[in-house]
Amino acid sequence: MLKLSEKRFALLLSVSHTLVDGFTYYALYGMLSTAGLPKAMISRRVETFTEQALPLTQPAEELFTSAGFLCGVLGHICCSPSPGVSHRYLDPEHIAKVKRQQQEADGCMISTNDIVTSSFFVNCNCDVGFAAVNLRGRIVETTADHAGNYESMAAYLRPDFET
């Protein structure tokens, strides 16, 4: 905690990604806000998580360790220009419109994250994209009350995200 003045302070929260994922971080962060309500979270690890997650995570792990992927990453690191930083405004009306269009087209619901991730990958003109996936509720015994790292990576090829 950093004292800024007699009436103001800042709280620095830093935690290793080995211990918690983004979901846990933002749950803790939300509890610290003026509107947040503190609540106990379950810190005991679901011991069968890795075993249960394996069928969901195996394709991404195989891709990450393939010779083609590793050569591509190495080539990118050695030959690509330095990355830049930019930010984009997310238009809530556009996102709502895309959700409605998808629902009308095939009856499927898509999330804001689906739309943003797809748009990001398309605009980066990449062939492969990766996104973190929260596996709470997808793995037996994991709930929103579990603190820890219960996520994995999903690998997307261009046909997965271009529309």
Side-chain angles (χ1 to χ4, degrees), residues 27-142:
L28 295 171
Y29 181 79
M31 289 182 217
L32 296 171
S33 74
T34 55
L37 296 173
K39 71 173 191 168
M41 296 186 80
I42 302 166
S43 61
R44 179 178 290 265
R45 180 82 175 160
V46 174
E47 292 186 28
T48 60
F49 173 77
T50 303
E51 177 184 301
Q52 290 184 60
L54 195 57
L56 303 172
T57 61
Q58 191 68 34
E61 288 179 27
E62 288 174 2
L63 178 64
F64 284 140
T65 58
S66 71
F69 180 79
L70 295 173
C71 288
V73 169
L74 184 59
H76 222 3
I77 290 170
C78 295
C79 302
S80 293
S82 297
V85 176
S86 66
H87 78 286
R88 299 288 185 265
Y89 171 75
L90 300 177
D91 181 359
E93 291 176 18
H94 173 73
I95 290 171
K97 178 183 168 189
V98 172
K99 287 180 181 185
R100 279 191 309 275
Q101 288 173 337
Q102 183 68 36
Q103 183 72 38
E104 291 167 4
D106 62 11
C108 291
M109 190 283 298
I110 58 173
S111 69
T112 299
N113 192 52
D114 293 332
I115 296 165
V116 172
T117 301
S118 172
S119 178
F120 178 77
F121 292 157
V122 167
N123 285 296
C124 287
N125 196 30
C126 60
D127 295 318
V128 179
F130 300 95
V133 178
N134 178 0
L135 296 178
R136 286 170 183 79
R138 294 181 173 105
I139 300 295
V140 177
E141 299 178 43
T142 58

